[in-house]
Amino acid sequence: MTDTPSIPAPAEEPDPDPDHEPKANTERGADTEGKAGGGQEPQGTDARGTDAQGTDARGTDARGTDVQGVAAEGAAPERGTAPKAARAKSAAPRPPAPDWQQWQPQRPEPPVWLTEISPATPAPISAATLWSVLATALLSALLLGEGVGLNLLIVAVPAALAAYFAARTADRRPRPWTLVWALGGLALLAVPALTEAGLPTFLSIVSALALGSLALHGSRTWQGVVFGPLGLFGSIGDGMAWGLRGLRERTGGSRKQWMPVLRGVVVAVVLLVVFGALFAGADAAFADLLGGLSPDVSVADGPWRFLLFVVGLLGALAAARTAAAPLRWDRITVRPGRARGRLEWALPLIVLNLLFAAFIAVQLAVLFGGYGKVFEETGLTRSEYARQGFWQLLWVTLLVLLVIGLARRWAPRDGARDSALVRAVLGVLGVLTLVVAASALRRMDLYVEAYGLTRLRVSVAAMELWLALVIVLILVAGATGGRWLPRAVAASAGAAVLAFGLLSPDALVAEGNVDRYERLHKIDAQYFQELSTDAVPALDRLPEPLRSCALTGIERNLAEADDDPWYATSWSERTARGILAERPVERSPACAGLGDWVEYRGGSDLDGL
C-alpha cells in the first residue's frame, strides 16, 4: 500500500441522539482509507469487497438508505459522523412546549380592601370547642322546634362557650367592650323569655346577633359596627371546613378514637330511657315533671329537627371560627372628602339653622298662645294636627343625621379656626334638632290624648327618643372627640331595644288605655284582641263585662298555645294563665253579636250597646 501523507481528521462531535448513530460504521469493521486532495475517495474496495467509488455496490448504505450522489457532491460522510445538515438540524434547540395556561381564563385579582380585611389563619379547633358546638346543635334540634322563649338563651350559652374556647386557643383575650357586647347580647335574648309581644322579640333577636358579632370581631370603627354582622354569614363555609379538618386531625380517621365516645353516648341514652320510663310508671308526679321537662320528639318531626340541628351546628361553628380569626373590618379606610371653603361649607348650614329657628319660634308661639287658636285658624282637629306633623318631624330628625355626616366629611380642616367654625355650626344644628324632636313627641302626645295608645305610636315614639339620644351623643363627641362614638351609638341601640322589650309596647298600650278609660270613660275594646299576653295584667283592672270583652281574644290565643313546652313559654304567658285561671273570662251577652270585641266610647258601663 502506498504511503500518503495523513491528514488529521476533525474531532468528532457527539451525536445528541445516540439512537440515530449510523450502523454502517460499526458493522463494516474498517473504513476506507484517506481522502484525495480533491475530496474524492481513491478507488479501491472496502473491507467487504464492494466498490468504494462514492457509492455502495448496491446503491444503498448498511441501513438501506440510498446514498447515490454523495461522492459526486465532493464529500463523503466521515466515519462516526452525520452529514453537516443533519448535525446542524440535530444540534438546533428544540422549540419550547406550548404553554396551554396562557389561553386559560385568568382570575381577577381581589380588591385591595378585601385582602386587607381577610382573616388570619385560625388556630386548630380545640376539643372543648367541638363539644360546645355539638351541644349547641343538639339543643337546637331538641328545643327550638316549638317556638321561642327561654330556649334561645339555653342554646346561646354553649354557642358562646364555643366562641370563648376558640378565642382562647387563638390567644385572643376579652376586652371591656367585648364583655359589654357579649353580656348585652345574652340580656337581649332574655326578652323572649320574659315577654310575648312579637316586635320586641324580633328586634331583640336581631340586636343580639349584631352585638354578638361585635363581640367576636372587636370592631371600633363605623365600618366594623355596620358591616360586622355580615362576618358571621361569611364564616359559615369556612367554619364548616375548619371544624371538619379539626375533627379529622383529632380522630386520625381511626375508629379507636371515636367509637368509645359513641358507645358511651348510646349507653347513656339507653339507661335514661329505661330507668326514666320505670320511674315515670312508678309515680304520677314524677311522670308529669319528666313530661314537662323533656321535649316532645316524634318521627314526623325528623326533617324539621334535622334542619334545626344543621342550623345550630353551622351557627356555632361560624361563631367559633370568627372568634378564632375574625374579619378585620377596622382596616377598611374611607378617604376623607375634599375640604370645602368656609363660605361654601357654612352658608347652606347657616341657612338651615335659620329655618329650624323659625319653625321653633312658631312652635313656641303656638305653645304659649294655645292650640285652640291654631285649630280655629287652620280648621284642623287636634288629632289631624298631631298626625300631620309627627311623621314629617321624624323624617327631619333622620335627615339631620345624614346632613351632619356629610357636613363632617366635607368640612374645612385648615387650623383651629375651621375646627371652631365646624363645631359651632353643627352644634347649633344639633341643639335645634333636639327641640324639633321634642316638638314631634308633643305632637304624638296630642294624638294619644285623642285616640289612645297603639303599638305603632309607641314604637315610633321610642324611635324618636333614640334618635334624640344619638344627636346628644354626636354633640358630646363634637366637643370631646369622637373615637368612641361608633361603639356608643351601637351600645345605645342595644340598650334601647332591651328597654323596649322589657317594658313591652303591648303592656304600655294596655296601661295607657286603661288609665284613659278611668279618666275619660273611653276605650276601644276591639284593638285589645290583637295584643299579646303582656297586656293581661293591665286589662284585668277593667270592670266586667268590659274586662271579659277585652280579654276574649287573648284567652282564645292562650287556649291554642296550651301545649307549648316550658322552654317555649314566656314569663308573661305564665302570668296571664294564672290571672285567667283565677278570674276566668265570662261569655257576656253584651259581647254577643259583635264577635269577640266591642267599641265602647262613653259611659261607665256597657248599657246601650
Side-chain angles (χ1 to χ4, degrees):
M1 181 176 294
T2 305
D3 293 334
T4 58
S6 62
I7 301 174
E12 296 183 358
E13 296 181 4
D15 195 338
D17 192 354
D19 294 335
H20 292 91
E21 183 178 358
K23 297 181 180 179
N25 296 331
T26 59
E27 292 178 355
R28 282 183 291 191
D31 196 357
T32 58
E33 296 183 357
K35 301 177 182 178
Q40 293 182 352
E41 196 173 287
Q43 294 182 358
T45 59
D46 60 3
R48 295 179 302 170
T50 57
D51 187 9
Q53 191 176 2
T55 59
D56 194 337
R58 294 174 300 174
T60 59
D61 62 359
R63 290 179 297 179
T65 305
D66 187 6
V67 295
Q68 290 183 358
V70 173
E73 292 179 2
E78 295 181 357
R79 181 180 58 186
T81 61
K84 292 183 178 180
R87 291 202 309 269
K89 182 177 180 181
S90 61
R94 295 182 179 180
D99 184 11
W100 299 107
Q101 297 295 330
Q102 61 181 337
W103 291 288
Q104 298 297 324
Q106 300 296 326
R107 294 183 179 180
E109 293 293 332
V112 177
W113 67 268
L114 186 59
T115 304
E116 291 180 349
I117 69 172
S118 298
T121 302
I125 190 169
S126 63
T129 303
L130 286 173
W131 283 112
S132 299
V133 168
L134 180 60
T136 304
L138 290 175
L139 290 175
S140 299
L142 294 175
L143 303 182
L144 296 183
E146 287 83 6
V148 295
L150 189 61
N151 48 7
L152 286 178
L153 191 58
I154 295 174
V155 172
V157 170
L161 289 176
Y164 169 74
F165 292 134
R168 189 179 65 177
T169 304
D171 291 332
R172 294 187 65 198
R173 296 295 181 262
R175 298 181 178 180
W177 275 105
T178 304
L179 297 178
V180 169
W181 303 136
L183 295 177
L186 293 177
L188 284 167
L189 290 181
V191 171
L194 299 176
T195 64
E196 191 71 18
L199 181 61
T201 297
F202 172 76
L203 292 178
S204 64
I205 295 174
V206 173
S207 300
L209 290 176
L211 294 188
S213 174
L214 290 178
L216 296 174
H217 287 92
S219 303
R220 62 176 62 91
T221 62
W222 285 114
Q223 295 86 344
V225 170
V226 174
F227 298 111
L230 301 178
L232 288 177
F233 298 99
S235 299
I236 293 178
D238 294 339
M240 190 65 184
W242 180 59
L244 288 176
R245 184 168 59 252
L247 184 63
R248 187 164 50 250
E249 291 175 355
R250 292 193 169 277
T251 59
S254 175
R255 296 177 59 185
K256 296 180 179 180
Q257 299 290 334
W258 54 269
M259 280 302 294
V261 178
L262 181 60
R263 287 194 296 266
V265 172
V266 171
V267 172
V269 171
V270 171
L271 292 177
L272 284 175
V273 171
V274 172
F275 285 95
L278 291 175
F279 284 132
D283 187 80
F286 183 80
D288 184 67
L289 175 63
L290 190 63
L293 292 177
S294 59
D296 186 11
V297 180
S298 61
V299 178
D301 295 337
W304 173 238
R305 301 286 181 176
F306 178 74
L307 178 61
L308 292 175
F309 178 88
V310 172
V311 170
L313 181 70
L314 294 181
L317 281 175
R321 173 64 167 73
T322 304
L327 289 170
R328 293 166 284 193
W329 296 103
D330 289 342
R331 294 190 176 184
I332 300 178
T333 57
V334 179
R335 295 179 180 178
R338 184 171 64 88
R340 307 290 176 173
R342 295 176 185 173
L343 181 61
E344 180 186 1
W345 179 85
L347 180 59
L349 295 176
I350 292 175
V351 172
L352 183 61
N353 286 340
L354 292 176
L355 178 62
F356 273 58
F359 176 80
I360 292 171
V362 172
Q363 297 300 300
L364 293 176
V366 171
L367 179 62
F368 289 107
Y371 289 98
K373 184 178 181 180
V374 177
F375 300 151
E376 181 180 350
E377 292 179 355
T378 59
L380 298 175
T381 63
R382 182 181 293 265
S383 60
E384 291 173 343
Y385 177 78
R387 181 173 63 250
Q388 183 187 47
F390 175 79
W391 294 104
Q392 288 84 344
L393 296 181
L394 178 62
W395 277 107
V396 165
T397 308
L398 287 170
L399 291 176
V400 164
L401 295 175
L402 178 61
V403 169
I404 291 176
L406 296 177
R408 291 290 301 178
R409 178 173 175 81
W410 291 317
R413 297 180 288 272
D414 188 11
R417 295 182 61 184
D418 286 344
S419 179
L421 175 65
V422 171
R423 283 198 295 265
V425 174
L426 295 183
V428 171
L429 180 60
V431 172
L432 295 177
T433 305
L434 289 177
V435 179
V436 171
S439 177
L441 292 173
R442 175 56 183 161
R443 298 285 185 106
M444 177 56 68
D445 185 57
L446 292 174
Y447 198 52
V448 170
E449 288 182 4
Y451 289 101
L453 276 175
T454 62
R455 287 173 171 172
L456 180 61
R457 294 161 197 169
V458 172
S459 301
V460 295
M463 183 178 180
E464 183 71 36
L465 286 172
W466 177 69
L467 291 176
L469 177 60
V470 171
I471 293 175
V472 171
L473 293 175
I474 292 175
L475 291 175
V476 176
T480 63
R483 294 189 60 184
W484 50 267
L485 183 60
R487 290 184 289 190
V489 171
S492 68
V497 173
L498 180 61
F500 184 72
L502 294 179
L503 292 176
S504 178
D506 288 7
L508 294 176
V509 166
E511 287 282 350
N513 282 280
V514 171
D515 292 341
R516 182 171 175 269
Y517 167 77
E518 292 174 350
R519 289 184 289 105
L520 304 175
H521 298 289
K522 294 181 180 180
I523 198 167
D524 186 359
Q526 174 189 6
Y527 186 74
F528 299 142
Q529 314 307 312
E530 305 173 4
L531 300 183
S532 65
T533 56
D534 299 346
V536 171
L539 296 179
D540 189 55
R541 292 161 43 194
L542 292 172
E544 290 289 358
L546 185 58
R547 170 188 174 274
S548 294
C549 293
L551 292 174
T552 299
I554 300 176
E555 190 267 343
R556 182 177 59 248
N557 294 334
L558 281 176
E560 295 176 356
D562 192 40
D563 295 333
D564 289 346
W566 62 273
Y567 47 81
T569 303
S570 65
W571 176 264
S572 173
E573 182 177 341
R574 288 192 291 270
T575 302
R577 290 185 184 278
I579 292 175
L580 295 179
E582 183 179 352
R583 296 180 59 192
V585 172
E586 300 177 1
R587 300 296 178 179
S588 173
C591 300
L594 297 175
D596 293 323
W597 58 271
V598 295
E599 290 187 0
Y600 183 57
R601 300 188 180 277
S604 57
D605 51 32
L606 295 180
D607 295 338
L609 285 179

PDB file of all heavy atoms in Angstrom, residues 359-384:
ATOM      1  N   PHE A 359     -89.014  77.742  62.593  1.00  0.00           N
ATOM      2  CA  PHE A 359     -90.028  76.732  62.926  1.00  0.00           C
ATOM      3  C   PHE A 359     -90.220  76.630  64.432  1.00  0.00           C
ATOM      4  O   PHE A 359     -91.354  76.536  64.928  1.00  0.00           O
ATOM      5  CB  PHE A 359     -89.599  75.383  62.343  1.00  0.00           C
ATOM      6  CG  PHE A 359     -90.517  74.254  62.702  1.00  0.00           C
ATOM      7  CD1 PHE A 359     -91.696  74.050  62.027  1.00  0.00           C
ATOM      8  CD2 PHE A 359     -90.204  73.383  63.744  1.00  0.00           C
ATOM      9  CE1 PHE A 359     -92.550  73.016  62.359  1.00  0.00           C
ATOM     10  CE2 PHE A 359     -91.044  72.345  64.085  1.00  0.00           C
ATOM     11  CZ  PHE A 359     -92.218  72.162  63.390  1.00  0.00           C
ATOM     12  N   ILE A 360     -89.118  76.634  65.155  1.00  0.00           N
ATOM     13  CA  ILE A 360     -89.213  76.520  66.618  1.00  0.00           C
ATOM     14  C   ILE A 360     -89.912  77.738  67.204  1.00  0.00           C
ATOM     15  O   ILE A 360     -90.690  77.615  68.162  1.00  0.00           O
ATOM     16  CB  ILE A 360     -87.812  76.329  67.207  1.00  0.00           C
ATOM     17  CG1 ILE A 360     -87.270  74.949  66.796  1.00  0.00           C
ATOM     18  CG2 ILE A 360     -87.825  76.439  68.724  1.00  0.00           C
ATOM     19  CD1 ILE A 360     -85.823  74.739  67.132  1.00  0.00           C
ATOM     20  N   ALA A 361     -89.680  78.917  66.641  1.00  0.00           N
ATOM     21  CA  ALA A 361     -90.361  80.126  67.122  1.00  0.00           C
ATOM     22  C   ALA A 361     -91.861  80.009  66.950  1.00  0.00           C
ATOM     23  O   ALA A 361     -92.637  80.388  67.842  1.00  0.00           O
ATOM     24  CB  ALA A 361     -89.815  81.349  66.390  1.00  0.00           C
ATOM     25  N   VAL A 362     -92.296  79.457  65.833  1.00  0.00           N
ATOM     26  CA  VAL A 362     -93.733  79.261  65.615  1.00  0.00           C
ATOM     27  C   VAL A 362     -94.287  78.259  66.618  1.00  0.00           C
ATOM     28  O   VAL A 362     -95.390  78.438  67.168  1.00  0.00           O
ATOM     29  CB  VAL A 362     -93.989  78.802  64.170  1.00  0.00           C
ATOM     30  CG1 VAL A 362     -95.455  78.413  63.978  1.00  0.00           C
ATOM     31  CG2 VAL A 362     -93.599  79.894  63.194  1.00  0.00           C
ATOM     32  N   GLN A 363     -93.536  77.208  66.890  1.00  0.00           N
ATOM     33  CA  GLN A 363     -93.996  76.218  67.851  1.00  0.00           C
ATOM     34  C   GLN A 363     -94.128  76.823  69.248  1.00  0.00           C
ATOM     35  O   GLN A 363     -95.086  76.515  69.980  1.00  0.00           O
ATOM     36  CB  GLN A 363     -93.024  75.035  67.893  1.00  0.00           C
ATOM     37  CG  GLN A 363     -92.926  74.274  66.591  1.00  0.00           C
ATOM     38  CD  GLN A 363     -94.259  73.683  66.172  1.00  0.00           C
ATOM     39  OE1 GLN A 363     -94.863  72.881  66.871  1.00  0.00           O
ATOM     40  NE2 GLN A 363     -94.746  74.115  65.019  1.00  0.00           N
ATOM     41  N   LEU A 364     -93.212  77.673  69.635  1.00  0.00           N
ATOM     42  CA  LEU A 364     -93.303  78.322  70.936  1.00  0.00           C
ATOM     43  C   LEU A 364     -94.499  79.257  70.993  1.00  0.00           C
ATOM     44  O   LEU A 364     -95.188  79.340  72.025  1.00  0.00           O
ATOM     45  CB  LEU A 364     -92.008  79.079  71.231  1.00  0.00           C
ATOM     46  CG  LEU A 364     -90.764  78.202  71.446  1.00  0.00           C
ATOM     47  CD1 LEU A 364     -89.528  79.079  71.631  1.00  0.00           C
ATOM     48  CD2 LEU A 364     -90.943  77.295  72.651  1.00  0.00           C
ATOM     49  N   ALA A 365     -94.782  79.964  69.891  1.00  0.00           N
ATOM     50  CA  ALA A 365     -95.953  80.852  69.864  1.00  0.00           C
ATOM     51  C   ALA A 365     -97.237  80.055  70.001  1.00  0.00           C
ATOM     52  O   ALA A 365     -98.162  80.453  70.718  1.00  0.00           O
ATOM     53  CB  ALA A 365     -95.949  81.654  68.567  1.00  0.00           C
ATOM     54  N   VAL A 366     -97.300  78.902  69.347  1.00  0.00           N
ATOM     55  CA  VAL A 366     -98.484  78.047  69.465  1.00  0.00           C
ATOM     56  C   VAL A 366     -98.612  77.513  70.881  1.00  0.00           C
ATOM     57  O   VAL A 366     -99.707  77.438  71.459  1.00  0.00           O
ATOM     58  CB  VAL A 366     -98.402  76.896  68.443  1.00  0.00           C
ATOM     59  CG1 VAL A 366     -99.509  75.875  68.690  1.00  0.00           C
ATOM     60  CG2 VAL A 366     -98.492  77.444  67.035  1.00  0.00           C
ATOM     61  N   LEU A 367     -97.470  77.136  71.491  1.00  0.00           N
ATOM     62  CA  LEU A 367     -97.499  76.576  72.831  1.00  0.00           C
ATOM     63  C   LEU A 367     -98.022  77.592  73.845  1.00  0.00           C
ATOM     64  O   LEU A 367     -98.864  77.266  74.694  1.00  0.00           O
ATOM     65  CB  LEU A 367     -96.101  76.107  73.216  1.00  0.00           C
ATOM     66  CG  LEU A 367     -95.936  75.512  74.611  1.00  0.00           C
ATOM     67  CD1 LEU A 367     -96.791  74.256  74.755  1.00  0.00           C
ATOM     68  CD2 LEU A 367     -94.476  75.198  74.906  1.00  0.00           C
ATOM     69  N   PHE A 368     -97.531  78.837  73.759  1.00  0.00           N
ATOM     70  CA  PHE A 368     -97.968  79.843  74.729  1.00  0.00           C
ATOM     71  C   PHE A 368     -99.313  80.455  74.354  1.00  0.00           C
ATOM     72  O   PHE A 368    -100.063  80.894  75.219  1.00  0.00           O
ATOM     73  CB  PHE A 368     -96.900  80.945  74.835  1.00  0.00           C
ATOM     74  CG  PHE A 368     -95.646  80.491  75.523  1.00  0.00           C
ATOM     75  CD1 PHE A 368     -94.475  80.267  74.799  1.00  0.00           C
ATOM     76  CD2 PHE A 368     -95.635  80.258  76.886  1.00  0.00           C
ATOM     77  CE1 PHE A 368     -93.320  79.842  75.427  1.00  0.00           C
ATOM     78  CE2 PHE A 368     -94.477  79.820  77.527  1.00  0.00           C
ATOM     79  CZ  PHE A 368     -93.319  79.612  76.790  1.00  0.00           C
ATOM     80  N   GLY A 369     -99.654  80.494  73.061  1.00  0.00           N
ATOM     81  CA  GLY A 369    -100.934  81.064  72.663  1.00  0.00           C
ATOM     82  C   GLY A 369    -102.083  80.100  72.761  1.00  0.00           C
ATOM     83  O   GLY A 369    -103.242  80.503  72.703  1.00  0.00           O
ATOM     84  N   GLY A 370    -101.786  78.816  72.897  1.00  0.00           N
ATOM     85  CA  GLY A 370    -102.838  77.811  72.997  1.00  0.00           C
ATOM     86  C   GLY A 370    -103.139  77.196  71.648  1.00  0.00           C
ATOM     87  O   GLY A 370    -103.048  77.850  70.596  1.00  0.00           O
ATOM     88  N   TYR A 371    -103.466  75.910  71.667  1.00  0.00           N
ATOM     89  CA  TYR A 371    -103.761  75.204  70.431  1.00  0.00           C
ATOM     90  C   TYR A 371    -105.144  75.535  69.889  1.00  0.00           C
ATOM     91  O   TYR A 371    -105.411  75.311  68.712  1.00  0.00           O
ATOM     92  CB  TYR A 371    -103.651  73.692  70.658  1.00  0.00           C
ATOM     93  CG  TYR A 371    -102.232  73.217  70.852  1.00  0.00           C
ATOM     94  CD1 TYR A 371    -101.726  73.015  72.134  1.00  0.00           C
ATOM     95  CD2 TYR A 371    -101.415  72.964  69.777  1.00  0.00           C
ATOM     96  CE1 TYR A 371    -100.432  72.576  72.327  1.00  0.00           C
ATOM     97  CE2 TYR A 371    -100.117  72.524  69.958  1.00  0.00           C
ATOM     98  CZ  TYR A 371     -99.629  72.336  71.246  1.00  0.00           C
ATOM     99  OH  TYR A 371     -98.339  71.910  71.428  1.00  0.00           O
ATOM    100  N   GLY A 372    -105.990  76.070  70.726  1.00  0.00           N
ATOM    101  CA  GLY A 372    -107.339  76.377  70.261  1.00  0.00           C
ATOM    102  C   GLY A 372    -107.345  77.362  69.118  1.00  0.00           C
ATOM    103  O   GLY A 372    -108.102  77.213  68.147  1.00  0.00           O
ATOM    104  N   LYS A 373    -106.496  78.392  69.219  1.00  0.00           N
ATOM    105  CA  LYS A 373    -106.436  79.384  68.156  1.00  0.00           C
ATOM    106  C   LYS A 373    -105.923  78.772  66.866  1.00  0.00           C
ATOM    107  O   LYS A 373    -106.388  79.088  65.766  1.00  0.00           O
ATOM    108  CB  LYS A 373    -105.524  80.532  68.590  1.00  0.00           C
ATOM    109  CG  LYS A 373    -105.469  81.672  67.595  1.00  0.00           C
ATOM    110  CD  LYS A 373    -104.594  82.802  68.110  1.00  0.00           C
ATOM    111  CE  LYS A 373    -104.557  83.953  67.107  1.00  0.00           C
ATOM    112  NZ  LYS A 373    -103.707  85.068  67.591  1.00  0.00           N
ATOM    113  N   VAL A 374    -104.949  77.853  66.991  1.00  0.00           N
ATOM    114  CA  VAL A 374    -104.429  77.184  65.793  1.00  0.00           C
ATOM    115  C   VAL A 374    -105.504  76.335  65.143  1.00  0.00           C
ATOM    116  O   VAL A 374    -105.675  76.346  63.916  1.00  0.00           O
ATOM    117  CB  VAL A 374    -103.207  76.322  66.165  1.00  0.00           C
ATOM    118  CG1 VAL A 374    -102.698  75.550  64.957  1.00  0.00           C
ATOM    119  CG2 VAL A 374    -102.110  77.189  66.742  1.00  0.00           C
ATOM    120  N   PHE A 375    -106.252  75.593  65.946  1.00  0.00           N
ATOM    121  CA  PHE A 375    -107.298  74.749  65.390  1.00  0.00           C
ATOM    122  C   PHE A 375    -108.373  75.602  64.724  1.00  0.00           C
ATOM    123  O   PHE A 375    -108.930  75.237  63.681  1.00  0.00           O
ATOM    124  CB  PHE A 375    -107.920  73.884  66.487  1.00  0.00           C
ATOM    125  CG  PHE A 375    -106.929  72.965  67.156  1.00  0.00           C
ATOM    126  CD1 PHE A 375    -107.097  72.578  68.478  1.00  0.00           C
ATOM    127  CD2 PHE A 375    -105.823  72.482  66.476  1.00  0.00           C
ATOM    128  CE1 PHE A 375    -106.185  71.741  69.096  1.00  0.00           C
ATOM    129  CE2 PHE A 375    -104.912  71.646  67.090  1.00  0.00           C
ATOM    130  CZ  PHE A 375    -105.092  71.275  68.411  1.00  0.00           C
ATOM    131  N   GLU A 376    -108.653  76.754  65.322  1.00  0.00           N
ATOM    132  CA  GLU A 376    -109.686  77.631  64.768  1.00  0.00           C
ATOM    133  C   GLU A 376    -109.245  78.235  63.440  1.00  0.00           C
ATOM    134  O   GLU A 376    -110.040  78.339  62.506  1.00  0.00           O
ATOM    135  CB  GLU A 376    -110.006  78.741  65.773  1.00  0.00           C
ATOM    136  CG  GLU A 376    -111.098  79.700  65.301  1.00  0.00           C
ATOM    137  CD  GLU A 376    -111.373  80.778  66.323  1.00  0.00           C
ATOM    138  OE1 GLU A 376    -110.874  80.684  67.451  1.00  0.00           O
ATOM    139  OE2 GLU A 376    -112.095  81.731  65.991  1.00  0.00           O
ATOM    140  N   GLU A 377    -107.964  78.610  63.353  1.00  0.00           N
ATOM    141  CA  GLU A 377    -107.486  79.263  62.137  1.00  0.00           C
ATOM    142  C   GLU A 377    -107.227  78.273  61.014  1.00  0.00           C
ATOM    143  O   GLU A 377    -107.432  78.584  59.840  1.00  0.00           O
ATOM    144  CB  GLU A 377    -106.203  80.036  62.436  1.00  0.00           C
ATOM    145  CG  GLU A 377    -106.421  81.240  63.357  1.00  0.00           C
ATOM    146  CD  GLU A 377    -105.126  81.956  63.657  1.00  0.00           C
ATOM    147  OE1 GLU A 377    -104.062  81.433  63.211  1.00  0.00           O
ATOM    148  OE2 GLU A 377    -105.166  83.007  64.318  1.00  0.00           O
ATOM    149  N   THR A 378    -106.782  77.087  61.364  1.00  0.00           N
ATOM    150  CA  THR A 378    -106.445  76.102  60.329  1.00  0.00           C
ATOM    151  C   THR A 378    -107.593  75.173  59.978  1.00  0.00           C
ATOM    152  O   THR A 378    -107.575  74.538  58.922  1.00  0.00           O
ATOM    153  CB  THR A 378    -105.253  75.246  60.777  1.00  0.00           C
ATOM    154  OG1 THR A 378    -105.579  74.572  61.993  1.00  0.00           O
ATOM    155  CG2 THR A 378    -104.025  76.125  61.001  1.00  0.00           C
ATOM    156  N   GLY A 379    -108.591  75.062  60.856  1.00  0.00           N
ATOM    157  CA  GLY A 379    -109.687  74.143  60.619  1.00  0.00           C
ATOM    158  C   GLY A 379    -109.350  72.694  60.872  1.00  0.00           C
ATOM    159  O   GLY A 379    -110.127  71.804  60.533  1.00  0.00           O
ATOM    160  N   LEU A 380    -108.204  72.434  61.484  1.00  0.00           N
ATOM    161  CA  LEU A 380    -107.791  71.070  61.790  1.00  0.00           C
ATOM    162  C   LEU A 380    -108.258  70.667  63.173  1.00  0.00           C
ATOM    163  O   LEU A 380    -108.347  71.498  64.078  1.00  0.00           O
ATOM    164  CB  LEU A 380    -106.265  70.946  61.720  1.00  0.00           C
ATOM    165  CG  LEU A 380    -105.604  71.231  60.368  1.00  0.00           C
ATOM    166  CD1 LEU A 380    -104.091  71.191  60.507  1.00  0.00           C
ATOM    167  CD2 LEU A 380    -106.058  70.241  59.310  1.00  0.00           C
ATOM    168  N   THR A 381    -108.570  69.384  63.328  1.00  0.00           N
ATOM    169  CA  THR A 381    -108.853  68.861  64.652  1.00  0.00           C
ATOM    170  C   THR A 381    -107.540  68.591  65.376  1.00  0.00           C
ATOM    171  O   THR A 381    -106.447  68.627  64.783  1.00  0.00           O
ATOM    172  CB  THR A 381    -109.659  67.564  64.560  1.00  0.00           C
ATOM    173  OG1 THR A 381    -108.874  66.569  63.892  1.00  0.00           O
ATOM    174  CG2 THR A 381    -110.950  67.797  63.775  1.00  0.00           C
ATOM    175  N   ARG A 382    -107.637  68.282  66.663  1.00  0.00           N
ATOM    176  CA  ARG A 382    -106.433  68.004  67.440  1.00  0.00           C
ATOM    177  C   ARG A 382    -105.679  66.803  66.888  1.00  0.00           C
ATOM    178  O   ARG A 382    -104.448  66.829  66.766  1.00  0.00           O
ATOM    179  CB  ARG A 382    -106.828  67.778  68.902  1.00  0.00           C
ATOM    180  CG  ARG A 382    -105.672  67.518  69.850  1.00  0.00           C
ATOM    181  CD  ARG A 382    -106.191  67.287  71.251  1.00  0.00           C
ATOM    182  NE  ARG A 382    -106.788  68.489  71.814  1.00  0.00           N
ATOM    183  CZ  ARG A 382    -106.153  69.357  72.600  1.00  0.00           C
ATOM    184  NH1 ARG A 382    -104.893  69.151  72.903  1.00  0.00           N
ATOM    185  NH2 ARG A 382    -106.771  70.415  73.066  1.00  0.00           N
ATOM    186  N   SER A 383    -106.413  65.750  66.554  1.00  0.00           N
ATOM    187  CA  SER A 383    -105.762  64.546  66.049  1.00  0.00           C
ATOM    188  C   SER A 383    -105.154  64.784  64.667  1.00  0.00           C
ATOM    189  O   SER A 383    -104.056  64.306  64.369  1.00  0.00           O
ATOM    190  CB  SER A 383    -106.758  63.383  65.991  1.00  0.00           C
ATOM    191  OG  SER A 383    -107.839  63.713  65.131  1.00  0.00           O
ATOM    192  N   GLU A 384    -105.862  65.533  63.809  1.00  0.00           N
ATOM    193  CA  GLU A 384    -105.317  65.809  62.481  1.00  0.00           C
ATOM    194  C   GLU A 384    -104.057  66.660  62.571  1.00  0.00           C
ATOM    195  O   GLU A 384    -103.094  66.442  61.829  1.00  0.00           O
ATOM    196  CB  GLU A 384    -106.368  66.513  61.632  1.00  0.00           C
ATOM    197  CG  GLU A 384    -107.545  65.624  61.251  1.00  0.00           C
ATOM    198  CD  GLU A 384    -108.644  66.393  60.561  1.00  0.00           C
ATOM    199  OE1 GLU A 384    -108.647  67.640  60.661  1.00  0.00           O
ATOM    200  OE2 GLU A 384    -109.510  65.760  59.941  1.00  0.00           O
TER     201      GLU A 384
END
